[in-house]
Amino acid sequence: MGLDVILGVISVACLVIIIGGRIFIPLYIKYYEKNPNAQSPKCKKCKTRMTAGDGTLYLIPAMFDMQHEESAEYYLHNAKKIKDESQIPKGQRACYMYVFRCPQCGEKIVSVVDFLQNSKDGMICGGDIYPYERFRDFLE
């Protein structure tokens, strides 16, 4: 096998890991919200199962499948809190922010689930997990 083939395989594997983490972790969080008996994520510090707080709903200025920067800064500068999903205009995206807390050591994370409300459950468009410290002032 040539070096270019090996590098190609490594590149594809890295993309799968990056894309998988950005899509499947938020999907897992959304699943956990609807199935509270499912196992929650483990704390990175002490490996204890984290507990989820209530999700807060925010409108973001993205339409349909429009691409936007998925970063803490994007959500912090653009997300506008709304009361419920009936306030989402047709074709506009929104996101839920969930705070997970470790009952053992107190560590917190924020999961952002970006979605398009096109059916009862919505279509997940993206999201990620961020350190709570980045969102502390925004969420409190």
Side-chain angles (χ1 to χ4, degrees):
M1 230 190 280
L3 182 60
D4 55 338
V5 173
I6 294 171
L7 291 175
V9 170
I10 291 171
S11 298
V12 169
C14 289
L15 281 173
V16 167
I17 291 168
I18 291 168
I19 292 170
R22 293 183 73 82
I23 293 172
F24 294 113
I25 291 172
L27 283 173
Y28 174 78
I29 302 297
K30 189 106 171 147
Y31 171 81
Y32 178 77
E33 175 199 34
K34 295 185 184 308
N35 301 284
N37 294 328
Q39 291 186 339
S40 64
K42 286 186 177 181
C43 174
K44 287 187 178 183
K45 286 186 176 179
C46 70
K47 306 302 182 207
T48 302
R49 292 267 174 218
M50 301 180 93
T51 56
D54 292 333
T56 306
L57 182 61
Y58 297 89
L59 199 59
I60 56 174
M63 303 295 287
F64 296 103
D65 60 353
M66 179 180 123
Q67 296 295 316
H68 66 79
E69 175 188 357
E70 287 193 37
S71 67
E73 288 73 26
Y74 174 83
Y75 295 110
L76 291 169
H77 293 294
N78 293 292
K80 305 293 181 216
K81 190 173 182 177
I82 57 176
K83 292 180 188 174
D84 58 48
E85 291 183 5
S86 69
Q87 293 184 296
I88 304 171
K90 186 174 182 165
Q92 188 160 358
R93 292 190 2 213
C95 66
Y96 274 103
M97 293 187 191
Y98 301 95
V99 176
F100 279 77
R101 182 182 177 281
C102 176
Q104 183 73 27
C105 70
E107 180 73 10
K108 292 181 182 180
I109 58 170
V110 174
S111 171
V112 178
V113 180
D114 179 349
F115 70 97
L116 174 63
Q117 187 64 31
N118 64 352
S119 64
K120 183 181 175 192
D121 293 327
M123 179 178 78
I124 304 292
C125 297
D128 212 342
I129 292 179
Y130 303 99
Y132 178 76
E133 292 74 30
R134 297 282 301 130
F135 286 82
R136 181 190 327 259
D137 294 337
F138 182 79
L139 295 171
E140 292 178 355

